[in-house]
Amino acid sequence: MEIQSSCRELHDQGYVIIPNLGSVEEASEIVQSFGDLIPQYSGKVTHEITYRPGNESRSYSQSTNTILAHTEAPGWPSSPAFIALYCHRQARCGGGHTDLLSADELLLHLDPTDTRLMKSVLDFPGPPDLPGLKAPMLEYDDQGRPRLRFSCNLLTHGEFDPDLGAATEERALPLGAEGRRLAQRVSEIFEKHRTSVLIPDNALLIWDNRRLLHARSEYEDKGRHFTRFWFTDGSAE
């Protein structure tokens, strides 16, 4: 697939799959044709995603390697505009899909009360030793397109990476009981209306991190392996 065609598809639907790549190095070159790589949680510009039983971070269920609906690094000063996953080996167990839901689709199913709640300003935690970001979960760009900063775990536990089975009192949550209810409603909409993508081996999935929520379905195949990239389009946040 030509890069120009991929750019159009990414712009039109918010994500694109580029198949039949020869290596992760080729995937990296393609990613850098879209934008500039930026550091991730470790400070490196790539991150290897593999099966980690009982101890994997970021909005997940530790027992199943499931990740709940969120946008990546919503409190980072350099929150990625786009995310890319290069598939070395996909899960063979029937799970491990990357699930996506656009802000437009989400807003179709939220009632006016929840839409107003989505415009609430939250204190999003940032990187270690750096301040986070105070911003609404939902805002609109200059063209009137919705943009998201969101984490189910932040609303239900007050942090991005709660311990499995952790309970948090409502008074300690960013939006209290209303925020917990909103997270449940978003999860229900996500489950019903998501696009579920099983990335083929040697393919690259790219999506707009400001436009789409993402999550990962349950899997148990220990051979699943991806390389993740964050990158920016160069526009101001």
Side-chain angles (χ1 to χ4, degrees), residues 193-205:
H193 298 283
R194 65 189 174 182
T195 296
S196 194
V197 179
L198 191 67
I199 310 170
D201 291 359
N202 305 312
L204 184 70
L205 170 66

Side-chain angles (χ1 to χ4, degrees), residues 38-44 57-59 70-81 122-135 148-151 154 159-161 209-210 228 230 237:
I38 59 176
Q40 303 184 41
Y41 301 112
S42 67
K44 299 178 181 179
S57 297
R58 310 277 159 230
S59 306
H70 65 294
T71 60
E72 203 71 31
W76 263 238
S78 56
S79 181
L122 298 190
D123 286 314
F124 289 98
D129 304 321
L130 287 176
L133 183 69
K134 188 181 291 289
L148 298 172
R149 294 178 184 272
F150 189 82
S151 166
L154 186 62
E159 57 181 301
F160 295 140
D161 302 321
N209 185 49
R210 301 162 302 185
R228 184 180 65 201
W230 290 0
E237 285 282 336

Side-chain angles (χ1 to χ4, degrees), residues 48-53 56 64-65 86-96 198-202 216 218-227:
E48 301 307 309
I49 298 174
T50 56
Y51 183 88
R52 297 180 183 178
E56 187 180 2
T64 62
N65 280 274
Y86 172 73
C87 179
H88 299 270
R89 181 186 182 277
Q90 183 55 266
R92 310 290 197 243
C93 60
L198 191 67
I199 310 170
D201 291 359
N202 305 312
R216 184 175 67 211
E218 176 181 351
Y219 78 95
E220 297 179 351
D221 186 342
K222 295 183 172 118
R224 186 181 186 271
H225 179 200
F226 287 79
T227 298

Side-chain angles (χ1 to χ4, degrees), residues 48-182:
E48 301 307 309
I49 298 174
T50 56
Y51 183 88
R52 297 180 183 178
N55 187 27
E56 187 180 2
S57 297
R58 310 277 159 230
S59 306
Y60 70 110
S61 164
Q62 292 167 311
S63 60
T64 62
N65 280 274
T66 301
I67 298 179
L68 305 178
H70 65 294
T71 60
E72 203 71 31
W76 263 238
S78 56
S79 181
F82 297 95
I83 300 172
L85 293 178
Y86 172 73
C87 179
H88 299 270
R89 181 186 182 277
Q90 183 55 266
R92 310 290 197 243
C93 60
H97 295 71
T98 301
D99 298 327
L100 305 169
L101 181 75
S102 72
D104 289 320
E105 183 70 22
L106 175 65
L107 292 172
L108 283 177
H109 304 284
L110 287 177
D111 64 30
T113 297
D114 287 337
T115 300
R116 286 194 297 271
L117 196 58
M118 285 287 294
K119 296 176 183 178
S120 300
V121 174
L122 298 190
D123 286 314
F124 289 98
D129 304 321
L130 287 176
L133 183 69
K134 188 181 291 289
M137 293 181 284
L138 169 67
E139 54 190 342
Y140 294 84
D141 65 15
D142 293 340
Q143 285 73 48
R145 296 171 297 194
R147 293 292 181 259
L148 298 172
R149 294 178 184 272
F150 189 82
S151 166
C152 279
N153 274 356
L154 186 62
L155 292 177
T156 59
H157 290 83
E159 57 181 301
F160 295 140
D161 302 321
D163 292 334
L164 185 63
T168 306
E169 294 183 10
E170 288 179 352
R171 60 185 177 81
L173 299 177
L175 295 176
E178 282 292 276
R180 182 169 279 169
R181 183 192 58 76
L182 176 64

